[in-house]
């Protein structure tokens, strides 16, 4: 039977004081935007912090599409959590998947069987894509959430051109050069625009038998417009900008089936060898263990009080994409990185207040606006009620992303990669890794 770690004691009161029983133990599940900011927010607090993540790195997901489209290398957008927190003396980092939470005993259990007791728990497990009940589509249409997903998508995109180069049958070649991106949110728009740049600029003149500019790139969205979270005028701008990169946008287009050779939209068939999924949100499975404490929404988000803890459980905070948080006027806080960072910091501040004998304060969300890039010189931004597009929005997008990226090394590398790509139209990370089909021959 697993043993409870002895270096902490289980809390016997909801708001323990340091004088009463030593340093409280704060366990944070997830080293993403919310979890990492919660940990940093506790740096000066008289608590012991343990951050548990199933990956050893913090991932800057907003730039993941650039790894999937060969612009950046994986290490440019990820950093070991252990290294980020190395100077924080009260923090400890554990690599492992949390498999269960015992809210009565106040313990979490890792998949290794190790059990840790907590006084305060911060659940910051994030979300992934949802196939709306069609998980069988996943192998044919990978989604983009992890570094592994990004390198798999990169491989599929680059291999499509290689396969087409070797394919004598024009019908098959056409399917090989057809790319379908499903989901017209920021990730889908960014992926489709970047594939357009690869086909229209990066790979031109590199092949003998095909012209990459003949590629067909489709962005499918089930709703009446792409980027539904942006003002309508920016959705229209984005659609026009995507057309400049050769992307055809199809709205009101619900995909009804996906197989190895393409997709169906009702009776319509689109033959395509590369299909990418950029739709739907599903919270990490772990929140299911909290469903006896709160009614989860359809995506598995945990509803929390304005102070960010579960109702009746002031010792359990849920933050970031895993939480369903409402603003003061009852609007849902969006599942974006700035919201996750703010919630992580706020949960930490409330824990500090509690250990100092003060009561919690309600979360106040600061909307920093929305940004999506489409390609060279093209982006859309909506900030404090003002709309921006084109070159200015593209600059704003770059500055914001570099600003929030973790670590000076990564910032410098990303800026230099972008400068190189800007000047040369090239993409630095065009590696096809993993198993490769034997039929591929080198171009002589
Ligand atoms: C491709 C993509 C592009 C995006 N682009 C943008 C953008 O441009 N702008 C923007 O604001 N937002 C963007 N987002 C959304 C943004 O990344 C999320 O809102 C943000 O990551 C949420 O932070 P989080 O801490 O809640 O979750 P995450 O950052 O996802 O972190 C969750 C962490 O929990 C860990 N974890 C999960 N379950 C367990 C478990 N059981 N045990 C241990 N560890 C676990 C995971 O490994 C992960 O490290 C994008 C997301 C994606 C996927």
């Amino acid at each position: 039977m697993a043993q409870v770690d002895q270096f902490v004691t289980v809390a016997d009161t909801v708001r323990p004081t340091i004088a009463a029983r030593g340093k409280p133990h704060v366990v944070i599940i997830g080293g993403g935007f919310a979890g990492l900011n919660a940990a940093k927010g506790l740096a000066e607090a008289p608590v012991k912090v343990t951050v548990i993540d199933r990956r050893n790195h913090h991932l800057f997901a907003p730039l993941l599409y650039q790894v999937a489209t060969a612009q950046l290398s994986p290490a440019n957008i990820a950093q070991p959590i252990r290294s980020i927190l190395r100077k924080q003396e009260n923090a400890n980092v554990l690599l492992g998947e949390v498999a269960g939470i015992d809210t009565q005993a106040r313990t979490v259990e890792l998949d290794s069987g190790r059990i840790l007791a907590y006084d305060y728990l911060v659940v910051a497990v994030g979300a992934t894509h949802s196939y709306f009940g069609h998980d069988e589509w996943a192998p044919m249409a990978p989604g983009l959430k992890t570094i592994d997903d990004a390198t798999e998508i990169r491989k599929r995109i680059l291999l499509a051109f290689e396969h087409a180069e070797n394919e004598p049958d024009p019908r098959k070649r056409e399917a090989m050069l057809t790319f379908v991106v499903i989901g017209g949110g920021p990730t889908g728009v960014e992926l489709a625009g970047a594939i357009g740049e690869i086909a229209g600029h990066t790979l031109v003149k590199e092949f003998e038998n095909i012209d990459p500019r003949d590629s067909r790139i489709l962005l499918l969205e089930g709703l009446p417009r792409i980027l539904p979270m942006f003002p309508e005028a920016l959705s229209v701008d984005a659609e026009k900008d995507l057309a400049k990169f050769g992307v055809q946008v199809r709205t009101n287009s619900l995909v009804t089936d996906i197989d190895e050779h393409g997709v169906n939209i009702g009776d319509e068939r689109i033959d395509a060898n590369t299909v990418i999924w950029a739709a739907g949100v599903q919270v990490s499975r772990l929140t299911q263990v909290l469903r006896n404490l709160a009614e989860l929404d359809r995506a598995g988000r945990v509803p929390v009080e304005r102070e960010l803890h579960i109702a009746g459980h002031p010792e359990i905070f849920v933050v970031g994409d895993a939480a369903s948080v409402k603003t003061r006027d009852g609007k849902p806080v969006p599942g974006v990185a700035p919201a996750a960072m703010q919630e992580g910091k706020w949960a930490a501040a409330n824990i500090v207040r509690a250990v100092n004998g003060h009561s919690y304060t309600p979360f106040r969300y600061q909307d920093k606006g929305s940004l999506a890039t489409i390609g060279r010189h093209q982006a859309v931004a909506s900030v404090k009620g003002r709309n921006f597009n084109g070159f200015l929005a593209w600059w704003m997008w770059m500055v914001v992303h570099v600003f929030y990226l973790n670590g000076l090394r990564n910032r410098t590398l990303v800026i230099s990669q972008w400068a190189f790509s800007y000047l040369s139209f090239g993409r630095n990370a065009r590696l096809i890794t993993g198993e490769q089909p034997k039929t591929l021959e080198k171009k002589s």
Side-chain angles (χ1 to χ4, degrees):
M1 202 180 123
Q3 292 292 307
V4 178
D5 261 27
Q6 291 304 308
F7 74 96
V8 286
T9 54
V10 181
D12 52 5
T13 162
V14 163
R15 291 178 188 169
T17 59
I18 312 149
R21 31 162 241 92
K23 287 185 180 176
H25 186 210
V26 183
V27 170
I28 300 173
I29 312 173
F33 287 98
L36 206 53
N37 277 278
K40 288 178 178 174
L42 293 166
E44 304 300 325
V47 295
K48 182 163 179 58
V49 179
T50 302
V51 179
I52 308 170
D53 202 300
R54 60 184 172 203
R55 297 190 300 237
N56 81 326
H57 54 270
H58 168 78
L59 175 65
F60 192 80
L63 289 180
L64 203 48
Y65 89 94
Q66 295 215 346
V67 174
T69 53
Q71 178 96 333
L72 296 173
S73 297
N76 295 157
I77 63 159
Q79 219 188 343
I81 299 168
R82 202 171 280 292
S83 133
I84 298 171
L85 294 176
R86 71 188 182 284
K87 291 187 180 151
Q88 188 168 327
E89 283 182 4
N90 68 351
N92 182 28
V93 178
L94 288 182
L95 178 66
E97 172 134 12
V98 175
I101 303 171
D102 185 335
T103 55
Q104 295 271 312
R106 296 189 184 176
T107 58
V108 299
E109 180 170 2
L110 273 67
D111 54 356
S112 62
R114 185 176 176 184
I115 291 178
L116 290 177
Y118 65 82
D119 295 288
Y120 294 93
L121 181 66
V122 180
V123 180
V125 288
T128 185
H129 33 265
S130 148
Y131 287 91
F132 305 120
H134 286 283
D135 287 352
E136 73 277 9
W137 291 348
M140 282 84 76
L144 185 61
K145 181 65 190 170
T146 64
I147 292 282
D148 289 339
D149 295 337
T151 52
E152 173 63 26
I153 290 172
R154 179 178 72 184
K155 177 165 105 179
R156 290 188 188 204
I157 294 170
L158 295 176
L159 272 180
F161 294 99
E162 300 293 342
H163 285 152
E165 170 78 354
N166 285 313
E167 178 54 61
D169 179 339
R171 206 179 48 82
K172 287 186 184 163
R173 206 162 52 219
E174 204 176 296
M176 287 169 179
L177 290 178
T178 300
F179 300 85
V180 173
V181 179
I182 301 167
T187 301
V189 165
E190 289 171 349
L191 275 169
I195 297 170
E197 276 197 330
I198 292 175
H201 296 286
T202 316
L203 298 183
V204 173
K205 294 193 186 149
E206 290 200 9
F207 291 88
E208 209 166 87
N209 303 323
I210 59 161
D211 184 343
R213 287 173 295 195
D214 294 337
S215 301
R216 188 176 174 218
I217 304 153
L218 293 168
L219 177 62
L220 307 182
E221 167 57 52
L223 295 174
R225 65 182 174 103
I226 58 168
L227 299 178
M229 64 295 288
F230 285 69
E232 197 161 350
L234 290 182
S235 300
V236 175
D237 289 343
E239 197 169 327
K240 284 186 196 148
D241 291 342
L242 282 165
K244 292 179 197 157
F245 293 95
V247 178
Q248 298 167 33
V249 175
R250 300 262 313 261
T251 51
N252 294 311
S253 297
L254 265 185
V255 169
T256 48
D257 199 12
I258 305 176
D259 59 40
E260 283 171 357
H261 305 292
V263 304
N264 286 18
I265 304 169
D267 294 338
E268 183 189 354
R269 172 75 184 169
I270 300 171
D271 292 330
N273 285 23
T274 311
V275 180
I276 305 171
W277 187 262
V281 176
Q282 184 64 48
V283 171
S284 172
R285 273 195 316 271
L286 185 66
T287 58
Q288 292 300 325
V289 303
L290 299 171
R291 68 179 180 275
N292 57 336
L293 304 186
E295 198 177 327
L296 311 187
D297 71 9
R298 277 176 61 192
R301 289 186 204 91
V302 184
V304 288
E305 300 286 279
R306 296 272 327 279
E307 293 78 12
L308 303 179
H309 63 82
I310 296 180
H313 284 269
E315 77 287 6
I316 305 178
F317 291 83
V318 188
V319 286
D321 283 3
S324 166
V325 184
K326 295 260 171 20
T327 60
R328 251 184 301 186
D329 44 10
K331 287 189 189 147
V333 174
V336 291
M341 289 191 271
Q342 291 175 34
E343 290 167 20
K345 282 182 196 159
W346 203 279
N350 270 343
I351 292 171
V352 173
R353 291 182 67 78
V355 294
N356 288 323
H358 302 298
S359 50
Y360 293 160
T361 57
F363 175 63
R364 276 196 305 273
Y365 174 57
Q366 281 188 309
D367 187 352
K368 305 259 177 176
S370 306
L371 290 158
T373 182
I374 292 137
R376 173 178 283 250
H377 299 177
Q378 306 295 343
V380 289
S382 168
V383 183
K384 298 204 185 299
R386 292 186 63 194
N387 293 348
F388 303 88
N389 62 4
F391 193 70
L392 179 60
W394 186 63
W395 262 102
M396 288 163 70
W397 181 90
M398 284 194 292
V399 170
V400 166
H401 283 72
V402 168
F403 179 78
Y404 282 110
L405 193 61
N406 241 310
L408 181 64
R409 176 184 165 276
N410 280 353
R411 282 186 198 144
T412 314
L413 285 173
V414 166
I415 291 171
S416 60
Q417 300 269 37
W418 284 351
F420 168 82
S421 299
Y422 184 77
L423 296 173
S424 67
F425 283 90
R427 280 173 187 257
N428 252 359
R430 277 171 45 195
L431 303 181
I432 300 176
T433 52
E435 210 173 308
Q436 289 173 42
K438 293 194 178 70
T439 51
L440 283 184
E441 286 165 24
K442 273 191 202 152
K443 186 186 156 197
S444 53

